[in-house]
Amino acid sequence: MTPLPTLERLATGKVRDLYAVGSDHLLVVASDRISAFERVFPTPVPGKGLVLTAMSVFWFRELADVLPNHLVTCEGPLIPESVRGRALLVERLDMLPVEAVVRGYLTGRGYADYRRSGRVCGLALPPGLAESARLPEPIFTPSTKALPGEKDENIDFDTCVSVLGRALAEEVREASLELYRRGAARAAEQGLLLADTKFEFGIGRDGDLVLADELLTPDSARYWLADGHQPGVPQPSFDKQHVRDWLVDPASGWDCVSALPPLPPEVVTATRDRYFEAYHRITGLSLADWPRDPADLRQPASRLGQCGGAGDRRDPHREQDVHRPRRPAALQPR
């Protein structure tokens, strides 16, 4: 937990701590904690929280024209100095109870589902696809948002519709696919493949869909090197797969039941290097410059006046905003 005695702590997750800032905003603090199989290791990965925060800010700026996001500022007087560089001031949203996963390649749980049934989240895929194969086109594969300590479960689109309503489910699907396509194109320019990723969304005060949580970080996305990509085998990745691989190796001594063991120093270093390399490759920046306001991460005009922020991101010319279908009661903004 990140102690901030002057703020009310609302929640502690596997990686992030959440604090109330007034009634309309939250402070989201990314720690150096790392998890696997819904459990947290006792050993942190130094600098991981900086990577998650800096990379999210980069992508929120890069993709702001696709969909409004919850970021208000990563600088200013409402960011305590003790968490500067690891904290975001964000808009408080009513979060949707599903995770929006997009897959461009067949790997992980998606590949396991495909081997069993030839489908992923109810979507039939061509026969004979190998592990790590590129899919004919990116697919939207939502999942439940599990309680702490439990696993998310893949669901089909009809189940997503039953939870969100058809109009909102379709809006989430289309936004997710476009965010993935744009992110994948940027990653490709840097020699990386965006294998898959998850997005989270909420409903803002005006009733619009808003992108939230983190965005295209090594914790929420799987990046592979484009050079040397070879279907049929697992791919080296810039995320915590190295930690998972060590954990399931008999040499770790983990029995799949007990608390996670401490990470060896060499695993910590290798994981840290992967996170830092992902940030550098995607952004072209060094974490040594964060959060010293590099030009392409600078905040636009503020919605909060004195503290800097994301600005009013609504398009006044979108007449359809006036006629948007009413959200289900459970999803109405507070």
Side-chain angles (χ1 to χ4, degrees):
M1 184 184 72
T2 306
L4 293 175
T6 60
L7 297 176
E8 177 192 359
R9 181 169 60 87
L10 300 177
T12 295
K14 293 189 294 291
V15 174
R16 287 172 175 79
D17 302 314
L18 198 64
Y19 296 87
V21 181
S23 59
D24 295 329
H25 298 90
L26 302 170
L27 189 72
V28 181
V29 181
S31 73
D32 291 340
R33 299 189 294 268
I34 190 165
S35 65
F37 306 112
E38 307 305 322
R39 305 183 188 198
V40 178
F41 283 95
T43 316
V45 175
K48 178 174 176 281
L50 293 175
V51 172
L52 300 182
T53 305
M55 206 156 173
S56 290
V57 170
F58 173 83
W59 281 117
F60 282 139
R61 299 304 173 207
E62 184 79 7
L63 302 178
D65 61 317
V66 177
L67 192 76
N69 61 70
H70 70 161
L71 177 63
V72 175
T73 188
C74 58
E75 285 280 24
L78 295 182
I79 306 291
E81 186 61 30
S82 62
V83 293
R84 185 171 177 265
R86 298 191 292 114
L88 301 178
L89 184 71
V90 303
E91 178 184 353
R92 189 186 286 240
L93 307 172
D94 277 334
M95 297 299 293
L96 301 188
V98 298
E99 291 191 342
V101 180
V102 178
R103 304 176 192 273
Y105 293 78
L106 194 56
T107 189
R109 194 186 304 175
Y111 178 59
D113 289 349
Y114 172 77
R115 289 185 64 188
R116 284 193 298 267
S117 66
R119 296 171 176 266
V120 180
C121 292
L123 297 173
L125 298 178
L129 293 177
E131 182 176 8
S132 306
R134 182 174 182 173
L135 297 173
E137 60 182 4
I139 57 174
F140 176 70
T141 58
S143 74
T144 61
K145 193 179 292 185
L147 296 172
E150 299 179 0
K151 289 184 63 174
D152 300 333
E153 296 294 336
N154 290 344
I155 57 175
D156 60 23
F157 186 68
D158 286 344
T159 303
C160 186
V161 168
S162 72
V163 174
L164 301 181
R166 181 161 297 277
L168 183 54
E170 290 179 350
E171 188 177 7
V172 167
R173 179 176 62 184
E174 294 311 306
S176 299
L177 289 168
E178 181 60 18
L179 289 164
Y180 173 86
R181 285 189 284 261
R182 288 279 299 275
R186 168 77 190 203
E189 293 172 0
Q190 312 307 315
L192 297 178
L193 302 177
L194 178 57
D196 56 30
T197 190
K198 77 170 181 71
F199 305 107
E200 294 202 33
F201 299 92
I203 304 300
R205 286 171 294 174
D206 58 3
D208 277 353
L209 187 68
V210 179
L211 181 61
D213 197 54
E214 60 185 318
L215 182 57
L216 294 171
T217 72
D219 266 13
S220 64
R222 208 183 313 248
Y223 292 103
W224 298 337
L225 282 173
D227 186 22
H229 171 243
Q230 182 181 355
V233 294
Q235 307 296 301
S237 57
F238 293 91
D239 55 29
K240 59 184 178 183
Q241 189 60 46
H242 183 67
V243 168
R244 296 190 194 100
D245 291 344
W246 172 83
L247 182 61
V248 299
D249 189 291
S252 75
W254 188 52
D255 59 7
C256 299
V257 177
S258 306
L260 298 185
L263 290 171
E266 63 272 16
V267 174
V268 171
T269 299
T271 304
R272 179 182 184 272
D273 289 348
R274 283 167 169 78
Y275 275 68
F276 278 49
E277 180 71 9
Y279 176 75
H280 174 67
R281 281 179 174 268
I282 289 293
T283 68
L285 303 169
S286 167
L287 277 171
D289 297 323
W290 172 262
R292 292 205 296 268
D293 200 23
D296 56 343
L297 299 181
R298 194 165 294 151
Q299 303 290 327
S302 172
R303 286 183 297 157
L304 294 184
Q306 74 276 13
C307 69
D312 186 352
R313 298 158 297 187
R314 290 172 295 171
D315 183 350
H317 303 293
R318 288 178 60 201
E319 294 182 357
Q320 62 267 35
D321 283 351
V322 179
H323 306 290
R324 295 176 64 85
R326 183 172 178 81
R327 306 291 184 193
L331 300 177
Q332 289 295 321
R334 283 190 288 267

